[in-house]
Amino acid sequence: YTLKVRKEGWPEWIRLDDEPLTEKTFAWDTTAFPSGSYRLKLTATDRPSNSAEDALSRERESLTFLVDHDPPSVTVTPKGSGASIVLKDALTRLVKADYAVDGGHWAPIFPDDELFDSSEEKITVRIPDLKRGVHLLMVRATDAAGNVGTGDALIELKD
């Protein structure tokens, strides 16, 4: 077997193995490849056991799949005793968000439409019982690939 990969936009296939594969499994370290949409091409041949004239060969291409290493972007804009938050991910949908105030425990937050269902979400968070002074609001977001992005803002409450 030979195994090749091609990212959307690449003009050529890149071989993933140095020697022909003899096993039916292959461990591919995708961290060595950039984020994006990919396809794999597997070629099987019986040439090692047959003459060039008698050898058979077949190729199969995979469906397109995503490799996503990039964390979501998190933009936090203070508003009174809370914030407006915009979460964005270039490749996959967002699945989770949390916030912490002044290094405290993480609390889950949800989009304004109450559903994580896209690669861009808007969240309005109100922090109850926030005392006067300057406070650190940390927000983290997780995408469907498990990548985590963070953002922060200082909230200042005056008399």
Side-chain angles (χ1 to χ4, degrees):
Y1 302 98
T2 58
L3 188 58
K4 295 179 181 179
V5 64
R6 186 169 69 192
K7 183 178 180 226
E8 189 174 285
W10 287 356
E12 300 291 330
W13 292 90
I14 294 176
R15 190 166 169 166
L16 289 175
D17 49 341
D18 294 332
E19 299 290 325
L21 301 171
T22 57
E23 300 295 321
K24 292 182 180 179
T25 61
F26 180 78
W28 178 30
D29 180 9
T30 62
T31 61
F33 283 77
S35 295
S37 296
Y38 286 86
R39 292 182 77 125
L40 291 171
K41 182 193 290 188
L42 177 68
T43 304
T45 182
D46 63 358
R47 174 65 182 101
S49 303
N50 293 290
S51 67
E53 302 83 39
D54 294 331
L56 298 174
S57 179
R58 296 287 183 264
E59 289 183 346
R60 285 274 173 116
E61 285 186 31
S62 71
L63 298 173
T64 301
F65 60 93
L66 287 176
V67 171
D68 183 4
H69 307 295
D70 302 327
S73 69
V74 179
T75 305
V76 183
T77 306
K79 299 231 175 173
S81 64
S84 292
I85 302 163
V86 177
L87 312 176
K88 291 183 185 178
D89 194 89
L91 295 174
T92 53
R93 72 180 179 86
L94 297 153
V95 297
K96 178 178 157 184
D98 304 284
Y99 79 95
V101 177
D102 297 334
H105 72 279
W106 289 98
I109 50 176
F110 296 91
D112 292 344
D113 68 1
E114 299 181 6
L115 187 62
F116 285 104
D117 60 353
S118 70
S119 60
E120 182 173 343
E121 299 288 355
K122 294 180 180 167
I123 299 174
T124 303
V125 64
R126 298 197 191 327
I127 305 165
D129 305 323
L130 201 57
K131 294 180 176 34
R132 286 181 294 179
V134 178
H135 301 276
L136 172 64
L137 172 62
M138 286 293 300
V139 177
R140 66 182 178 195
T142 306
D143 68 14
N147 301 306
V148 178
T150 60
D152 63 83
L154 292 177
I155 297 174
E156 185 174 359
L157 293 180
K158 298 179 182 181
D159 288 339

